[in-house]
Amino acid sequence: MPKYEQILFNNMSKAGYTGSLKEYEAVGGYTAFKKVLKEYSSSDVIDIVKKSGLRGRGGAGFPAGLKWSFIPKDHVGPRYLCCNADESEPGTYKDRQLMEFDPHQMLEGMAICCYAIGAQTAYIYIRGEFDLGAEILENAIQEAYKAKLVGKDLFGSGFNLDIYVHRGAGAYICGEETALLESLEGKRGKPRIKPPFPAINGLYQEPTVINNVETLANVPYIINKGPEWFRTIGTEKSPGTKVFSVSGHVKKPGNYELPLGIPLREIIYDVAGGILGDKQLKAVIPGGASAPMMPPDQLDTPMDFDSVAAVGSMLGSAAITVMDEDTCIVWAAMNLMEFFYHESCGQCTPCREGSGWILQILRRIEGGEGRHSDLDQLLELCTRIGGRTVCAFGDAEIGPILSTIKHFRSEYERHIEEKGCPFHPNATLSMAH
Amino acid sequence: MSSRVTLIINGKEVTVEAGTRVIEAAKQAGTEIPHFCYHPKLKPDANCRMCLVEIEKVPKLQTSCSTPVAEGMVVTTESEKVVEAQKGVMAFLLGNHPLDCPECDQGGECQLQDFAHQYGAMTSPFGETKRTFEKTYFGPLIEKEMNRCVSCLRCVRYCDEVIGSNSLGSMNRGAMHEVGAFANHELECEFCGGCIQICPVGALTSRLSMFDYRTWQLNKTDTVCNYCGDGCSLTLETVQEDVKRVSSEAGTGRNTGDLCSRGFFGYSAINHESRLSRPLLRGDGGDLEVTWEWAYQKTVDGLKGIVEAHGAKAVGGIISAQCTNEEVYLFQKLMRETVGTPHIDSGARYGYINAVSALTQVFGTARLTHYEDILASDCLLVFAGEMTETNPITALKVKEAIRQNKAKLITVSPYRSKRETYISHLPHLAHQHLQIRVGTENTAILGLTKAILEKSPASEMPEALLSKVQSAVSNISFSEIETVTGISEQQFVDAGTLFSEAKQGVMIVGRSVLRGNDGYQSMLRIAELAILSGQVGRPGTGILALSKESNAFGAIEMGGTPEFLPGFQETSEAEKGYTVIEMIDAAARGEIKALYLVGENPLRSIPQKKVAAALENLEFLICQDLYSTETTALAHIVLPATSYAEKSGRFTNHEGETQKLRQAIDPLGNAKPDWQIFSTLINKMKTEDKIPYQKLLGHSSVDVVWKEAVMAMPPGWPVLSNEGISAQISSYAADADIRWTLPEPSPQGEGFDLQVGQSLFHAGKMSTYASGLTTLLDSPVLLMNPEDAERLEIEDGELVQLSAEGEQVMVQLPVKASKKIAEGTLFVPEHFSLNVKTLLPLTLDATTGVPYGDHGRVSLSKVRVTA
């Protein structure tokens, strides 16, 4: 008997559950969709989701019902739902599990969302590397078509729905919702200027909702059990559960579905079994690579959207990366920057140019050639990027730099003074890349 | 009416149109916000982040290029926070920049330099290694130096949004981002040069004049392009007497700063080494270079001698439609008044006369439609599938109407609707494309007329005209029309309905009609079609006839054709002189003894053996030209003229817009502008020989000539409004004699329909002297449908042989498969080879005498390569 109430992992936790349509229906699958078609107007559905307080699970935590309500009611022409399954945030691997082990749960959520926003076409933009997930989704969609759960005039309601799987081509930026739309349209994946927001001007210039896999997967349960039930889990402002992908120096890494608001300490030490080799904890990334690092004195932070933000980081995708006492923070920041440098789309100046300079300075410090002026220079570079880019990538890439300098400045200084890395004594510039 | 919005920029109240971007509002208020990616021609992209401003109540800095104004908005563009951000962006842009200004062709007019001066630091904050790219080339004409690039994507966006060629794109990510030919193909685009013009830095520069000048050494002269009738404003940029490059400032002129390959890369024809630079006398001992005084005297003596011996009517004159208004005016004065002959014609005879004569007859004016009308219209009916090639900038207006106004395009053309990947092709953009058989434009007009007539004729159409049109079409069935054109009744009905029901519809007519068989009658039918659809006489409607030459409209207006005196005053039948072909025939039979050819080369234009015989039969042949040609080789006197860069004057483009040419450089060698030559000859012819030369200079400037020409115009000239049109239509309706005849359907099966026409990279012959353009295309290639080529197993570049029934000549050409070419048809550009034309039948227009020889039936066989 699990200690924490689960929503999304319930079915797949049952022995022998393969996620087929038959099995999903046997545990009550698609009853929510049928109920919605029969009993609810589209605005009823939006109201229920609003009342549930469901917030986006992709990273930003934007209220899902509110997002749906932005679709203009009087719009003539198509509207679209895009399910963001481009899970690429380093350390995050929850959507993959949700798609591979219980695909219909998410498809049902998509169907309900489409009904609520009046969309007849939905796309699943899935990360290119997810071969298996794409195959499973394709099969699940075929099953749903055959069972007339997707298709024309569903259950005589007059509601039509087509769902397509679109595989990405390997760019992190395509997880940014407007870059995702560009990519889906067949263009180079780069974020759009906002406003206009996708709800007004999205895919093919039509009103579009973009929701994360996990967000949509929650929807059938909210419909079936009611928004009040959903609010009994989690905190007031962050209701429900969250799948935490725990990785790094812990004894039991993995995906854990836990109530929002659970203290970070509890996740690391109880759920994930504590630090590998019972070493001391040095730092935690609480929500994927772009979330600023947290030091050990923030371990009692409740893991919900607002509490993590209050200590200067973000819940993000809730991918928790744990680093023990032997981890070199400069090396970690450099490693993260390698990622951002590689993934910057190159569209706007601060991000395109800044990521390269930051990375070069970090490599130099790690390689033993740091200067005391480097830290100020890094901070200045960050101020020239933060808040000045087209999309949130710019803010994301400076998160690890600002937070490590803030919490671990002495470790940078030690690198500079000792002309080398205390943790990797053989590190040189050439090693750094 | 659009509403206006008041906002405060740097404490100053500004009122602008709603929807204006903050950066533009600031400009109106006199504040320039620094920027790279913003450009008034392009949609905002907000990628450079240089134009960040502070907006009250908005926490983050906002890009002023993408933020629309709002009532009461308070904007600060020069606060400490803003300037710090701009300095930050500058530091980033300069960080990886090679700072190679001393050897960069953009130096001196570079936005990065200018803003660095204002916002850049004295030293770089970065001590790390700069990112570097290898210098590469975009094809033969463009240098790509990505180390200088600021990734503003103006080039890519211009190519996509304005030209529609879509040949550029972003390559790679992040700091390694660079622009490139889309998907890393070899650049095979329209080579309009727009990417070079719009690049704010030295990332894309022209290879034609690389390292040839520093920008501040350039003298700039605004003038008009002479390569086609679009009438594009361009700036010739010169160092001493050399044209170093051409530009056109964004937003200026009829072309709003856009150019085509000929305009941008075609300037080196001006100072080509084969230019004529001294007058030549031809005698038994060969060519003799002489002084102008000698040449003038010989010319005057020669002409006077012929007039005395055979009468003035033994003299004829033909002038190029690329000469200015002033030159055509003076030439017709020289011919008609001074010499006293009615035989004067111009290059407008090769087709454009059909448009002006027919439109003037029906509407009283040929000034019906301007580019503004195209942009305002919601439906365009285009009889010019080749418009991108013949008139690239007018084609841009069509593309703009489609893009901005969601205008529907109907094209009627033998081309297919497929396009070469990176070259625009109007049928490809068409809402409906009627792919007719070669040479059946006239019958397609009939189909459209019949369709509109049966569906919804305009209520304002005069009854007399309606009944005449009705009876003319009544005995021809759609199935007969389909047999000729290949277009079904339904297609005609769909297109006709779309056009006649449009709020504002414009028809555009090109070479395939004007130089197709029966072009004059076709133009009358098109005029009637416009009346029938109610698409004439209002803004956003009308007919635009595309002119191939830069001054075909002006040449006719200035009296350069036998049917019109200056100002479209019709000549009486009695005083009407010969057309080009009639003059050639008269020369052949010995009636015309002297011809004065100005920039005209009939041996090329009319490829018939009788032309050579006729010219050889002349007692006196004067050729006034830029280059030695087949025809100058036969002349008794050759007078060296100047190009458009070396003279002032006026061109009237196909809209009827008269624009000024301004002299940019001194005449080459001893060459003189045509108008000066005519002016001197007029005076010399009138006066006794003994008056000193200096007193005989004639008109002191080209503006004096223009004043005289304007004074010679009839009252009421020029007709600029549409007010008199309906009265003129009624009078036309009373006299009109409308008859349709169906041509014989062209044989199907064996053989090909061959068309000659224009290449995108050339205009007439002059462009073949421009090295920039010959780099793109320097010899004729036979374009062939790819499926045909595959069926016949012909590879690209393979030689084939063309022959025609009854013709001795056989022509060998290399083949290139082209997606736009329809099955069973072939296309060859006309600029290089004249013997292809000898395969095609030559016919004359029954009314206007326009020679038609652009298409015909040929057989094709593979050439066996022998070792």
Side-chain angles (χ1 to χ4, degrees):
Chain A
M1 188 59 197
K3 188 177 164 192
Y4 308 100
E5 182 170 357
Q6 294 192 329
I7 301 172
L8 308 178
F9 281 5
N10 266 341
N11 299 340
M12 66 180 86
S13 305
K14 293 188 175 81
Y17 184 85
T18 65
S20 71
L21 177 59
K22 205 170 135 198
E23 289 165 89
Y24 181 63
E25 283 189 307
V27 294
Y30 287 102
T31 51
F33 180 46
K34 290 174 194 164
K35 185 175 172 186
V36 158
L37 284 181
K38 225 183 199 165
E39 297 172 21
Y40 294 148
S41 71
S42 57
S43 51
D44 291 342
V45 180
I46 294 179
D47 280 346
I48 293 170
V49 176
K50 267 189 185 167
K51 269 188 207 142
S52 75
L54 174 66
R55 292 173 70 168
R57 279 10 181 185
F62 194 83
L66 188 61
K67 197 182 225 182
W68 297 4
S69 71
F70 289 155
I71 298 292
K73 297 268 178 297
D74 51 357
H75 175 77
V76 183
R79 304 131 187 247
Y80 297 102
L81 167 67
C82 296
C83 172
N84 188 344
D86 189 49
E87 184 169 59
S88 329
E89 185 73 23
T92 316
Y93 44 90
K94 64 186 180 66
D95 295 339
R96 175 177 177 180
Q97 183 166 339
L98 292 171
M99 289 186 285
E100 289 181 4
F101 287 82
D102 206 359
H104 284 286
Q105 178 173 271
M106 154 194 155
L107 293 178
E108 187 181 3
M110 289 178 69
I112 295 168
C113 174
C114 285
Y115 176 78
I117 62 170
Q120 300 193 350
T121 311
Y123 294 93
I124 301 166
Y125 187 100
I126 186 167
R127 175 172 175 171
E129 290 89 336
F130 288 175
D131 286 316
L132 182 62
E135 193 185 319
I136 288 171
L137 282 169
E138 293 277 14
N139 288 337
I141 291 167
Q142 289 317 312
E143 282 184 306
Y145 269 108
K146 275 189 198 133
K148 303 209 171 351
L149 293 159
V150 175
K152 299 269 173 278
D153 190 21
L154 300 173
F155 303 103
S157 64
F159 177 65
N160 305 322
L161 175 62
D162 287 306
I163 302 181
Y164 302 96
V165 175
H166 181 98
R167 299 182 62 181
Y172 169 73
I173 198 63
C174 290
E176 197 276 345
E177 59 179 15
T178 57
L180 182 151
L181 295 179
E182 289 283 298
S183 171
L184 196 50
E185 288 181 8
K187 302 175 190 157
R188 182 181 165 94
K190 59 178 196 182
R192 297 177 180 174
I193 324 165
K194 285 162 275 189
F197 291 94
I200 308 299
N201 202 321
L203 187 63
Y204 305 116
Q205 316 295 313
E206 305 288 352
T208 303
V209 162
I210 301 140
N211 276 147
N212 173 256
V213 171
E214 188 184 350
T215 317
L216 289 164
N218 270 295
V219 172
Y221 302 99
I222 292 171
I223 298 293
N224 269 338
K225 298 186 179 179
E228 296 76 18
W229 159 81
F230 190 72
R231 285 187 164 281
T232 61
I233 311 167
T235 69
E236 196 202 331
K237 286 189 172 160
S238 302
T241 62
K242 182 81 194 70
V243 181
F244 291 90
S245 305
V246 186
S247 65
H249 302 136
V250 288
K251 288 177 183 167
K252 293 193 290 176
N255 279 327
Y256 299 99
E257 185 180 12
L258 304 166
L260 277 159
I262 182 172
L264 180 56
R265 184 187 298 280
E266 195 174 327
I267 300 177
I268 296 171
Y269 287 95
D270 296 351
V271 179
I275 310 293
L276 211 55
D278 292 319
K279 290 188 185 167
Q280 291 299 304
L281 175 76
K282 184 186 265 182
V284 182
I285 301 172
S290 43
M293 282 189 208
M294 291 163 73
D297 62 12
Q298 293 178 346
L299 263 182
D300 292 313
T301 309
M303 293 298 281
D304 61 70
F305 290 106
D306 306 299
S307 307
V308 182
V311 299
S313 186
M314 63 177 191
L315 184 63
S317 62
I320 298 174
T321 305
V322 177
M323 288 171 265
D324 70 16
E325 57 188 308
D326 293 337
T327 310
C328 170
I329 286 295
V330 176
W331 185 87
M334 182 189 80
N335 192 37
L336 287 165
M337 206 59 216
E338 297 274 4
F339 172 76
F340 287 116
Y341 171 74
H342 183 252
E343 294 294 346
S344 167
C345 81
Q347 174 177 209
C348 63
T349 307
C351 174
R352 177 186 67 238
E353 303 290 332
S355 54
W357 296 120
I358 291 178
L359 177 60
Q360 288 202 57
I361 295 169
L362 290 174
R363 282 177 183 165
R364 199 159 38 71
I365 299 174
E366 176 67 7
E369 293 176 26
R371 296 186 282 262
H372 280 288
S373 58
D374 284 343
L375 292 184
D376 284 343
Q377 165 115 54
L378 284 173
L379 291 173
E380 189 181 4
L381 280 166
C382 290
T383 54
R384 287 179 166 179
I385 298 171
R388 293 178 188 174
T389 50
V390 171
C391 75
F393 189 104
D395 296 322
E397 69 181 355
I398 62 171
I401 313 304
L402 290 177
S403 59
T404 51
I405 296 179
K406 181 177 167 194
H407 299 301
F408 305 97
R409 192 178 180 108
S410 60
E411 209 167 302
Y412 279 95
E413 284 164 348
R414 223 183 121 192
H415 277 75
I416 293 165
E417 273 149 27
E418 294 176 12
K419 299 198 187 313
C421 176
F423 303 90
H424 308 106
N426 297 326
T428 60
L429 256 178
S430 57
M431 177 227 79
H433 203 271
Chain B
M1 277 304 286
S2 50
S3 53
R4 294 179 72 78
V5 168
T6 300
L7 68 159
I8 293 167
I9 299 177
N10 297 339
K12 197 168 144 190
E13 210 176 85
V14 195
T15 303
V16 295
E17 295 280 313
T20 306
R21 309 277 158 180
V22 170
I23 196 168
E24 285 153 358
K27 194 168 188 188
Q28 289 177 33
T31 302
E32 189 185 18
I33 299 175
H35 61 270
F36 296 99
C37 72
Y38 164 79
H39 192 281
K41 276 187 177 285
L42 307 174
K43 284 187 257 177
D45 208 45
N47 65 48
C48 75
R49 317 308 282 180
M50 188 65 188
C51 71
L52 290 168
V53 295
E54 229 177 323
I55 296 174
E56 208 174 86
K57 294 183 192 132
V58 183
K60 282 187 193 175
L61 297 177
Q62 298 294 306
T63 44
S64 58
C65 69
S66 63
T67 309
V69 295
E71 187 63 42
M73 187 183 251
V74 180
V75 181
T76 314
T77 74
E78 287 158 354
S79 66
E80 205 176 313
K81 194 174 163 191
V82 170
V83 172
E84 196 283 319
Q86 287 163 341
K87 285 188 170 165
V89 172
M90 272 317 294
F92 279 140
L93 290 178
L94 291 171
N96 276 317
H97 190 280
L99 306 175
D100 59 345
C101 305
E103 57 162 42
C104 174
D105 278 345
Q106 191 84 8
E109 53 180 21
C110 169
Q111 267 175 266
L112 193 64
Q113 269 184 340
D114 293 350
F115 292 129
H117 193 253
Q118 243 174 312
Y119 298 92
M122 293 301 287
T123 54
S124 170
F126 309 115
E128 319 301 319
T129 313
K130 286 186 184 193
R131 170 217 57 206
T132 49
F133 294 102
E134 286 289 309
K135 175 162 108 177
T136 53
Y137 298 108
F138 262 177
L141 295 174
I142 304 170
E143 186 190 74
K144 187 178 104 159
E145 174 49 278
M146 280 299 109
N147 295 321
R148 297 175 187 152
C149 179
V150 293
S151 291
C152 67
L153 300 186
R154 277 193 198 181
C155 52
V156 179
R157 290 149 62 213
Y158 181 83
C159 193
D160 288 353
E161 295 174 26
V162 178
I163 300 298
S165 162
N166 310 93
S167 51
L168 303 180
S170 284
M171 308 292 127
N172 305 326
R173 295 197 302 216
M176 298 313 288
H177 169 267
E178 57 180 309
V179 296
F182 183 72
N184 261 339
H185 289 295
E186 176 80 6
L187 193 66
E188 263 188 89
C189 67
E190 297 176 28
F191 288 98
C192 68
C195 54
I196 297 176
Q197 284 216 71
I198 209 156
C199 180
V201 296
L204 299 179
T205 49
S206 167
R207 291 177 71 183
L208 270 193
S209 49
M210 186 128 289
F211 307 136
D212 238 9
Y213 58 84
R214 302 269 50 199
T215 52
W216 51 88
Q217 297 170 326
L218 296 167
N219 287 313
K220 303 191 179 188
T221 310
D222 295 336
T223 187
V224 183
C225 183
N226 86 324
Y227 276 124
C228 79
D230 284 344
C232 297
S233 291
L234 43 81
T235 304
L236 293 178
E237 308 196 11
T238 54
V239 175
Q240 289 164 347
E241 307 314 322
D242 255 350
V243 179
K244 293 295 183 190
R245 65 175 192 189
V246 166
S247 63
S248 187
E249 199 187 331
T252 58
R254 304 304 297 155
N255 52 322
T256 62
D258 304 314
L259 291 175
C260 71
S261 59
R262 304 182 298 240
F264 192 79
F265 287 116
Y267 57 85
S268 50
I270 293 166
N271 279 341
H272 192 269
E273 57 193 16
S274 67
R275 276 279 301 274
L276 297 164
S277 64
R278 298 177 75 89
L280 295 176
L281 275 189
R282 192 147 292 143
D284 298 335
D287 292 353
L288 183 66
E289 287 192 351
V290 295
T291 62
W292 270 103
E293 197 162 0
W294 191 246
Y296 279 137
Q297 202 55 57
K298 282 287 176 193
T299 305
V300 169
D301 291 349
L303 286 172
K304 278 186 170 172
I306 299 284
V307 172
E308 274 162 30
H310 308 284
K313 285 190 175 178
V315 179
I318 308 173
I319 185 165
S320 160
Q322 288 181 43
C323 284
T324 63
N325 282 340
E326 292 84 346
E327 288 161 352
V328 176
Y329 169 77
L330 284 183
F331 187 63
Q332 65 87 36
K333 183 180 170 184
L334 172 68
M335 286 291 129
R336 287 198 174 108
E337 290 179 18
T338 316
V339 175
T341 174
H343 305 315
I344 160 150
D345 205 355
S346 79
R349 182 63 46 197
Y350 298 115
Y352 207 67
I353 188 69
N354 281 335
V356 172
S357 295
L359 295 176
T360 311
Q361 195 186 341
V362 180
F363 302 111
T365 175
R367 273 192 176 83
L368 288 171
T369 300
H370 287 71
Y371 297 152
E372 288 76 5
D373 296 306
I374 295 177
L375 297 179
S377 73
D378 60 334
C379 186
L380 293 146
L381 175 53
V382 174
F383 296 88
E386 67 287 359
M387 198 165 159
T388 297
E389 283 79 13
T390 58
N391 299 82
I393 300 304
T394 311
L396 270 192
K397 308 291 176 187
V398 173
K399 291 184 232 171
E400 193 179 338
I402 296 171
R403 197 176 56 244
Q404 309 277 22
N405 219 16
K406 304 263 180 290
K408 297 263 166 51
L409 172 66
I410 305 161
T411 45
V412 183
S413 162
Y415 283 118
R416 292 205 300 188
S417 59
K418 293 186 174 161
R419 75 168 206 173
E420 294 301 314
T421 314
Y422 302 115
I423 294 181
S424 342
H425 181 48
L426 288 193
H428 178 75
L429 299 172
H431 188 254
Q432 202 189 343
H433 174 53
L434 305 183
Q435 189 191 316
I436 55 171
R437 300 215 169 101
V438 171
T440 64
E441 278 79 3
N442 188 292
T443 312
I445 297 163
L446 168 62
L448 287 165
T449 306
K450 201 169 160 70
I452 295 172
L453 197 65
E454 287 172 11
K455 186 104 181 175
S456 53
S459 52
E460 60 267 34
M461 181 154 188
E463 191 53 44
L465 192 60
L466 187 63
S467 62
K468 280 180 181 176
V469 174
Q470 250 157 357
S471 67
V473 305
S474 60
N475 57 350
I476 300 171
S477 71
F478 274 113
S479 69
E480 288 172 291
I481 295 173
E482 182 170 357
T483 311
V484 175
T485 60
I487 305 294
S488 70
E489 173 173 1
Q490 192 56 49
Q491 286 174 287
F492 282 122
V493 170
D494 290 346
T497 309
L498 191 62
F499 184 67
S500 61
E501 290 181 357
K503 285 196 201 85
Q504 290 159 297
V506 166
M507 271 193 265
I508 302 176
V509 188
R511 164 179 185 150
S512 54
V513 172
L514 300 176
R515 303 178 68 162
N517 293 340
D518 230 0
Y520 176 70
Q521 290 295 325
S522 295
M523 276 311 296
L524 287 177
R525 303 294 90 86
I526 279 176
E528 288 151 10
L529 186 59
I531 302 167
L532 188 65
S533 334
Q535 304 293 19
V536 70
R538 294 177 288 123
T541 67
I543 301 165
L544 179 71
L546 301 172
S547 121
K548 178 175 174 288
E549 301 89 355
S550 50
N551 199 32
F553 193 110
I556 302 171
E557 186 166 39
M558 291 299 117
T561 59
E563 43 271 82
F564 295 110
L565 298 175
F568 301 118
Q569 303 174 84
E570 282 183 45
T571 48
S572 66
E573 272 309 311
E575 63 186 3
K576 195 163 162 183
Y578 288 156
T579 63
V580 171
I581 300 289
E582 286 166 342
M583 279 188 245
I584 300 291
D585 287 344
R589 63 177 181 262
E591 179 187 335
I592 281 189
K593 304 281 186 195
L595 265 184
Y596 190 163
L597 301 178
V598 184
E600 275 295 307
N601 179 4
L603 281 175
R604 269 186 68 85
S605 311
I606 316 155
Q608 283 202 323
K609 284 179 213 84
K610 69 171 186 186
V611 177
L615 296 180
E616 278 159 14
N617 203 26
L618 290 165
E619 285 181 20
F620 192 42
L621 175 61
I622 311 162
C623 278
Q624 189 165 306
D625 213 312
L626 295 179
Y627 311 98
S628 317
T629 68
E630 302 90 325
T631 306
T632 58
L634 301 175
H636 301 97
I637 289 184
V638 180
L639 304 176
T642 61
S643 74
Y644 70 107
E646 296 143 71
K647 66 187 177 190
S648 298
R650 284 158 186 83
F651 280 161
T652 302
N653 79 347
H654 53 212
E655 304 167 278
E657 287 288 320
T658 302
Q659 306 186 90
K660 264 184 128 161
L661 273 80
R662 293 180 187 82
Q663 183 181 346
I665 50 175
D666 283 345
L668 180 92
N670 283 351
K672 285 186 190 292
D674 296 297
W675 68 268
Q676 272 185 21
I677 303 171
F678 301 144
S679 177
T680 311
L681 284 175
I682 286 170
N683 277 351
K684 279 222 155 217
M685 291 281 288
K686 281 195 297 201
T687 338
E688 289 307 310
D689 298 343
K690 304 295 173 210
I691 295 179
Y693 172 63
Q694 279 77 3
K695 293 198 176 162
L696 300 173
L697 283 175
H699 301 80
S700 59
S701 80
V702 79
D703 287 335
V704 175
V705 182
W706 180 243
K707 256 183 208 162
E708 185 188 319
V710 169
M711 295 302 286
M713 295 295 158
W717 176 91
V719 180
L720 294 175
S721 88
N722 283 333
E723 279 167 24
I725 282 185
S726 56
Q728 183 69 30
I729 291 172
S730 302
S731 105
Y732 169 73
D735 305 333
D737 174 20
I738 303 172
R739 265 179 300 202
W740 289 99
T741 44
L742 285 182
E744 287 296 309
S746 69
Q748 302 297 301
E750 280 297 297
F752 287 86
D753 286 319
L754 171 69
Q755 286 180 279
V756 293
Q758 203 165 335
S759 147
L760 178 61
F761 303 127
H762 287 285
K765 172 78 177 159
M766 184 172 174
S767 64
T768 63
Y769 292 103
S771 59
L773 298 174
T774 50
T775 307
L776 297 171
L777 185 72
D778 66 353
S779 57
V781 273
L782 185 70
L783 299 188
M784 187 174 198
N785 171 280
E787 288 84 45
D788 281 345
E790 205 183 312
R791 186 170 49 80
L792 298 170
E793 296 176 347
I794 298 171
E795 305 271 323
D796 269 11
E798 198 176 328
L799 275 185
V800 294
Q801 184 157 291
L802 299 177
S803 56
E805 222 180 283
E807 280 294 336
Q808 303 296 313
V809 190
M810 282 193 273
V811 180
Q812 291 193 355
L813 284 168
V815 166
K816 189 175 178 222
S818 168
K819 286 187 245 176
K820 67 181 184 184
I821 303 294
E823 277 185 55
T825 70
L826 299 167
F827 176 90
V828 68
E830 64 191 346
H831 318 281
F832 310 98
S833 159
L834 104 132
N835 54 358
V836 164
K837 282 194 159 188
T838 58
L839 296 177
L840 306 173
L842 187 87
T843 59
L844 296 184
D845 190 283
T847 312
T848 56
V850 168
Y852 301 125
D854 271 3
H855 59 82
R857 203 71 191 159
V858 295
S859 315
L860 178 146
S861 55
K862 298 196 355 158
V863 174
R864 226 173 256 131
V865 183
T866 47

